[in-house]
Amino acid sequence: MSEHFRVVFSGFKPGTDNQAAIEQLAAKLKVSEQKVTDFTSGKPLFGPADKQKCLKQAKLLAIYGIQSKLQSQASAGTGVAQDAANERVFDALDYITSSLIRIEEKLDELEQRIDGKQVQNEQSEDDEWEDESLFSELELDSEPPKRSKKLLYILLSLLVLLLVVLGISLAFPELVPM
């Protein structure tokens, strides 16, 4: 694995207008002035590269009055990749967590809707059973109409007569012609 370097800001050349140098460099690199200002604060402007490329970057910075130095990134190269991977993992976990929270909120909302409908249904069922209109058709307090006992006596006497005839026919089989 080849050794990588990074160009790090070390200061401005004496007699250089700082703001003008930042503006000119931002225009040359076609980046925002904020990014160049962040570079002067210690953040990287260029990614890790081989030594020749970093020397060219340092020369470019020197043209605009910015002093820089090379910092070795050999052991940190895998660290940078590891940091980037960790950053992506944390971003993914954050996304998953926020998605789970949104899903949980939706489930709670649906549960409240369902519970509300069930409560309304139960109340309407209770109201239906408590409603007096269902029982108004039935007259529960009225007495059943009195039936005539005459028919009952006739049926009872007919039953007794048939039992007598059956008893005679069993006792005296020769009296009943067949």
Side-chain angles (χ1 to χ4, degrees):
M1 179 176 145
S2 65
E3 190 173 8
H4 284 81
F5 294 89
R6 182 179 292 257
V7 178
V8 180
F9 176 76
S10 62
F12 289 100
K13 288 183 182 176
T16 304
D17 180 16
N18 299 351
Q19 188 60 34
I22 290 172
E23 290 173 1
Q24 291 172 351
L25 181 61
K28 174 67 177 175
L29 297 176
K30 298 178 183 174
V31 296
S32 68
E33 290 180 27
Q34 181 62 39
K35 189 163 183 167
V36 177
T37 304
D38 290 343
F39 171 69
T40 61
S41 303
K43 292 189 176 180
L45 181 61
F46 305 107
D50 60 51
K51 189 172 185 175
Q52 291 300 320
K53 188 171 182 177
C54 287
L55 288 173
K56 288 180 185 177
Q57 293 170 348
K59 285 181 186 177
L60 176 68
L61 294 173
I63 292 172
Y64 295 102
I66 299 173
Q67 295 175 340
S68 59
K69 60 182 177 180
L70 298 182
Q71 184 179 34
S72 177
Q73 296 289 313
S75 62
T78 57
V80 169
Q82 185 68 27
D83 288 344
N86 287 343
E87 183 79 21
R88 284 183 292 193
V89 168
F90 285 124
D91 287 343
L93 287 174
D94 184 42
Y95 177 76
I96 290 169
T97 304
S98 61
S99 296
L100 287 174
I101 290 171
R102 286 192 304 262
I103 289 170
E104 184 178 353
E105 289 172 353
K106 292 284 185 183
L107 285 174
D108 288 342
E109 184 179 310
L110 288 173
E111 189 175 83
Q112 288 176 358
R113 285 184 187 170
I114 290 172
D115 288 343
K117 287 182 181 178
Q118 286 178 347
V119 168
Q120 288 176 352
N121 288 343
E122 289 174 3
Q123 286 177 350
S124 65
E125 287 175 7
D126 290 342
D127 292 344
E128 287 177 12
W129 287 108
E130 292 175 1
D131 192 10
E132 293 296 322
S133 65
L134 292 176
F135 298 111
S136 65
E137 296 174 3
L138 303 174
E139 296 180 18
L140 298 177
D141 295 336
S142 66
E143 296 177 16
K146 293 184 178 182
R147 294 192 178 148
S148 170
K149 292 185 180 183
K150 186 177 184 182
L151 180 62
L152 181 63
Y153 292 138
I154 292 172
L155 289 175
L156 190 58
S157 62
L158 184 60
L159 181 64
V160 170
L161 179 66
L162 287 174
L163 284 174
V164 169
V165 171
L166 180 64
I168 293 173
S169 68
L170 287 176
F172 305 105
E174 62 272 349
L175 290 177
V176 181
M178 287 210 203

